């Protein structure tokens, strides 16, 4: 054999051996981390996504490709060695020397509310000659809430503005559950929570506790995702805009209520992306963690019905909801709404319908908007 033939055979054998080596050992002593500078932002805000890849062995890695599915509503600034394919996949490529670490930082603008799970990344390593490659998934805790943006006062629905004005002036007076001033016979509409069982046993008839009065504003918002009664199918673009406008309005009112020391809660017939089997039923409270919980729920809210909106209203009656201002956000209203809301009024609640039929704020066009 000539020297050239021997050289070809040796090179071929080495190529095969190194390909098998990288297939078997490439991921040994390799670490990958993905971190977000913030766990939650509002629509339109930006954050930093950081990737840290470290090769803790003597063997260099000719190329390492990092890929993950990425929502088009998370916009990346143009970066070297970064490729976003059809606004669906984030891809970056690295060369790693022995015992080296690379840190990459990406500026991300969050265009639209949502819950984004960025925890799963696919790592692909190839050999020197490109004969073979092997892949493996890496997991991190990179999960992001993008909250709905808060509206200005002049952007809220007219009914919500009127309701705000009424509350601000009247500071409605409700019975304080702590201040008990006596006992009387049970009347239609009294809460079962107020029944005094010992007094009832002594008298042989139901007796309830009566309360002194104090300023105690309490708000419950109900958000209906159905654009019409018995709705089936996908929302149109206009209906989507109305719903997103409604979500922003709800977030704004909840924030206003807590800032004004009002208890606020949220019910909806929608499902949540990160907890699809859980109903949206947040009881009224007034603290910072309550606002965070509401914003996280609104971020993950999907236009997918978890239950009928009428069932949502019925659950409030069954739970003996009393002394509460109830705001129902819905694009339609009918006799079924009226009958259930009348039951709520009989329990000492006020019910106000907030319509969503208003020109909504459109999303930034994802095909033409520039990342910042």
């Amino acid at each position: 054999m000539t020297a050239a033939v021997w050289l070809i055979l040796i090179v071929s054998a080495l190529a095969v051996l190194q390909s098998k080596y990288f297939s078997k050992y490439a991921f040994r002593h390799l670490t990958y981390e993905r971190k977000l500078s913030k766990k939650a932002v509002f629509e339109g805000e930006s954050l930093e996504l950081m990737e840290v890849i470290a090769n803790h062995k003597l063997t260099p890695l000719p190329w390492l490709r990092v890929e993950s599915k990425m929502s088009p509503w998370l916009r990346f600034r143009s970066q070297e060695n970064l490729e976003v394919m059809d606004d669906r996949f984030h891809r970056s490529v690295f060369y790693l020397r022995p015992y080296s670490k690379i840190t990459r930082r990406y500026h991300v603008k969050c265009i639209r509310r949502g819950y984004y799970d960025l925890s799963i990344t696919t790592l692909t390593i190839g050999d020197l000659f490109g004969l073979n490659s092997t892949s493996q998934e890496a997991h991190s805790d990179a999960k992001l809430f993008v909250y709905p943006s808060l509206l200005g006062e002049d952007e809220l629905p007219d009914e919500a503005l009127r309701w705000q004005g009424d509350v601000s002036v009247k500071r409605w007076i409700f019975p304080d559950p702590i201040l008990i001033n006596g006992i009387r016979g049970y009347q239609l509409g009294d809460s079962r929570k107020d029944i005094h069982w010992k007094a009832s046993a002594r008298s042989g008839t139901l007796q309830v506790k009566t309360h002194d009065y104090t300023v105690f504003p309490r708000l419950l918002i109900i958000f209906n995702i159905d654009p019409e009664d018995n709705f089936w199918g996908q929302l149109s673009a206009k209906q989507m805009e109305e719903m997103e406008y409604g979500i922003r309005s709800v977030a704004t009112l909840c924030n206003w209520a807590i800032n004004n020391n009002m208890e606020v809660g949220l019910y909806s017939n929608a499902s949540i992306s990160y907890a699809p089997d859980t109903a949206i039923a947040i009881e009224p409270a007034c603290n910072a963690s309550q606002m965070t919980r509401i914003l996280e729920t609104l971020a993950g809210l999907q236009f997918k019905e978890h239950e009928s909106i009428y069932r949502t209203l019925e659950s409030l009656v069954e739970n003996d909801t009393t002394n509460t201002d109830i705001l129902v956000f819905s694009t339609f209203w009918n006799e079924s709404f009226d009958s259930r809301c009348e039951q709520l009024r009989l329990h000492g609640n006020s019910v106000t319908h907030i319509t969503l039929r208003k020109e909504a704020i459109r999303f930034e066009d994802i095909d033409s908007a520039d990342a910042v």
Side-chain angles (χ1 to χ4, degrees):
M1 287 190 184
T2 64
V5 174
W6 277 109
L7 179 62
I8 291 172
L9 290 174
I10 292 171
V11 171
S12 298
L14 290 174
V16 172
L17 288 172
Q18 64 88 34
S19 179
K20 290 183 176 181
Y21 173 84
F22 278 107
S23 295
K24 188 173 183 179
Y25 299 108
F27 286 101
R28 284 194 178 182
H29 306 298
L30 177 72
T31 59
Y32 172 83
E33 274 188 289
R34 169 175 280 182
K35 299 178 182 178
L36 298 172
S37 61
K38 302 174 184 176
K39 297 297 183 182
V41 296
F42 284 90
E43 287 175 316
E45 294 183 346
S46 299
L47 55 82
E48 184 180 78
L49 183 149
M50 182 172 67
E51 292 179 320
V52 181
I53 307 102
N55 182 21
H56 302 284
K57 59 180 179 291
L58 183 62
T59 308
L61 298 180
W63 59 269
L64 166 66
R65 185 172 65 238
V66 179
E67 295 176 291
S68 61
K69 190 173 182 180
M70 195 71 63
S71 169
W73 300 112
L74 300 179
R75 192 70 52 75
F76 283 76
R77 177 186 288 172
S78 178
Q79 297 262 351
E80 184 182 358
N81 295 328
L82 169 65
E83 182 182 356
V84 180
M85 303 178 62
D86 299 326
D87 286 331
R88 288 296 181 271
F89 285 93
H90 168 276
R91 172 183 293 176
S92 48
V93 181
F94 305 88
Y95 162 71
L96 285 170
R97 298 188 302 274
Y99 300 106
S100 64
K101 182 171 75 172
I102 295 177
T103 300
R104 290 275 173 82
R105 290 180 169 86
Y106 305 105
H107 184 92
V108 183
K109 184 176 182 181
C110 304
I111 304 299
R112 180 175 174 177
R113 72 159 186 97
Y115 171 74
Y116 300 96
D117 188 345
L118 312 177
S119 61
I120 301 176
T121 308
T122 301
L123 308 179
T124 303
I125 297 176
D127 58 45
L128 288 166
F129 297 96
L131 299 177
N132 200 3
S133 63
T134 182
S135 298
Q136 182 174 297
E137 281 190 351
H139 296 263
S140 66
D141 63 349
K143 297 177 182 180
L144 172 67
F145 288 97
V146 178
Y147 299 152
S149 58
L150 301 182
L151 303 178
E153 187 173 304
D154 58 339
E155 297 173 304
L156 286 171
D158 293 338
E159 297 93 335
L161 287 172
R162 284 197 294 271
W163 179 87
Q164 272 184 301
D166 288 343
V167 171
S168 295
V169 172
K170 294 179 181 178
R171 300 301 291 176
W172 288 9
I173 295 179
F174 293 118
D176 191 322
I178 298 175
L179 303 177
I180 300 171
N181 64 7
I183 296 172
R184 61 167 171 77
Y186 179 86
Q187 298 175 359
L188 180 65
D190 285 339
S191 172
R192 288 197 292 267
K193 298 176 183 177
D194 287 334
I195 295 176
H196 195 296
W197 295 107
K198 290 183 179 180
S200 299
R202 286 195 300 267
S203 66
T205 59
L206 283 179
Q207 302 291 310
V208 295
K209 294 170 281 188
T210 59
H211 305 274
D212 280 338
Y213 284 76
T214 184
V215 175
F216 187 66
R218 195 166 185 262
L219 171 64
L220 179 62
I221 295 179
I222 301 174
F223 185 75
N224 178 24
I225 62 163
D226 294 329
E228 56 191 49
D229 200 12
N230 298 318
F231 176 78
W232 293 93
Q234 298 291 324
L235 296 177
S236 67
K238 183 177 185 300
Q239 289 169 336
M240 286 278 288
E241 289 174 0
E242 289 174 349
M243 291 297 165
E244 293 295 341
Y245 168 71
I247 289 171
R248 291 171 176 175
S249 299
V250 168
T252 303
L253 273 178
C254 288
N255 185 64
W256 175 87
I258 287 180
N259 286 340
N260 283 273
N261 299 315
M262 292 179 62
E263 290 190 350
V264 62
L266 174 66
Y267 273 58
S268 178
N269 58 333
S271 60
I272 313 173
S273 59
Y274 54 87
D277 297 327
T278 303
I280 298 177
I282 303 174
E283 294 299 328
C286 183
N287 50 58
S289 61
Q290 176 78 345
M291 190 63 207
T292 298
R293 185 182 177 192
I294 289 174
L295 287 173
E296 288 181 351
T297 300
L298 292 175
L301 187 147
Q302 294 180 306
F303 301 128
K304 180 179 178 182
E305 193 178 72
H306 181 270
E307 63 182 7
S308 162
I309 186 61
Y310 306 124
R311 179 67 196 119
T312 302
L313 292 169
E314 289 165 2
S315 69
L316 295 176
V317 178
E318 293 169 0
N319 293 339
D320 286 329
T321 302
T322 59
N323 303 321
T324 301
D325 289 341
I326 300 174
L327 305 186
V328 182
F329 281 76
S330 178
T331 58
F332 71 96
W333 198 262
N334 56 26
E335 290 183 2
S336 295
F337 268 111
D338 271 333
S339 63
R340 289 164 175 82
C341 289
E342 188 57 35
Q343 294 180 56
L344 289 167
R345 292 187 182 101
L346 288 174
H347 282 71
N349 304 291
S350 71
V351 183
T352 303
H353 172 216
I354 309 293
T355 181
L356 300 182
R357 296 194 179 280
K358 176 179 177 179
E359 185 63 28
I361 303 170
R362 294 181 177 274
F363 291 129
E364 181 180 357
D365 188 335
I366 65 171
D367 293 326
S368 60
D370 295 325
V372 297

